[in-house]
Amino acid sequence: MPKQIKKEEMKKSDRAYRKWAVAGLISSVAFMGALAGLIGLITKTNGDKAPTTVLFSLYAVYTAVSVISAVKGIMSYVREDVTVCLFQGLLNAFSAIACIMNLRMAFIILLSAYHAEDMANKLIGSQTQTEFVQTQYANWICLSVAVLISIIIGILGIVKLAKNRKN
């Protein structure tokens, strides 16, 4: 009869990171879904407060979860030498950086919705609105890639948690 090899249990910090990765998946899907659904309404209504606030709130949640996931992934490597978590944590750090790159645009949209155009114009600076929007394309592409990365890492987290669930 062959010997049965014991399966190594998932480390505590790895499990915590995977849960945050799944939270990143949920928050990124919620944010992108709201962006796709509400951006047309926001532009048609010249920045109605309710949809703009919902969109900004989901953006803030996605940013926070990305930062926490990055920290948890890196700390999982530091504490328990889980190299995969380090790599995925660094990818989460890219997601957090992409969110920060779009922070100025998010505040401009929010300030415009609350009729604080003078503050929004100060954030735009000396550029015209058209020039400002054109400079945001790279940031939007980075944010799109970051959301895709968050979704992939979240799916990997679900798979890892499912394989190593406690009975």
Side-chain angles (χ1 to χ4, degrees), residues 19-158:
K19 289 177 182 177
W20 277 103
V22 172
L25 165 69
I26 293 166
S27 65
S28 65
V29 168
F31 168 63
M32 286 309 281
L35 182 64
L38 296 176
I39 199 68
L41 180 63
I42 290 170
T43 55
K44 284 179 188 173
T45 61
N46 268 346
D48 190 26
K49 290 179 184 176
T52 305
T53 303
V54 168
L55 184 61
F56 184 82
S57 299
L58 289 171
Y59 167 79
V61 168
Y62 175 58
T63 302
V65 170
S66 293
V67 170
I68 293 169
S69 294
V71 170
K72 288 284 187 181
I74 293 167
M75 292 309 294
S76 180
Y77 173 74
V78 169
R79 290 184 182 149
E80 297 177 353
D81 200 30
V82 184
T83 309
V84 172
C85 289
L86 173 65
F87 177 69
Q88 290 180 359
L90 292 174
L91 289 174
N92 285 120
F94 167 75
S95 296
I97 291 168
C99 288
I100 293 168
M101 288 169 53
N102 284 281
L103 187 62
R104 184 172 145 203
M105 181 67 169
F107 274 120
I108 289 170
I109 292 171
L110 185 68
L111 290 170
S112 295
Y114 283 92
H115 306 293
E117 283 85 11
D118 55 331
M119 291 174 64
N121 288 334
K122 286 181 183 177
L123 285 175
I124 291 174
S126 62
Q127 297 174 317
T128 65
Q129 288 184 351
T130 306
E131 290 172 340
F132 175 72
V133 169
Q134 288 174 348
T135 63
Q136 294 301 303
Y137 288 136
N139 295 351
W140 293 338
I141 291 170
C142 286
L143 186 62
S144 299
V145 171
V147 167
L148 180 63
I149 287 170
S150 295
I151 291 171
I152 292 169
I153 290 174
I155 292 170
L156 292 173
I158 290 171

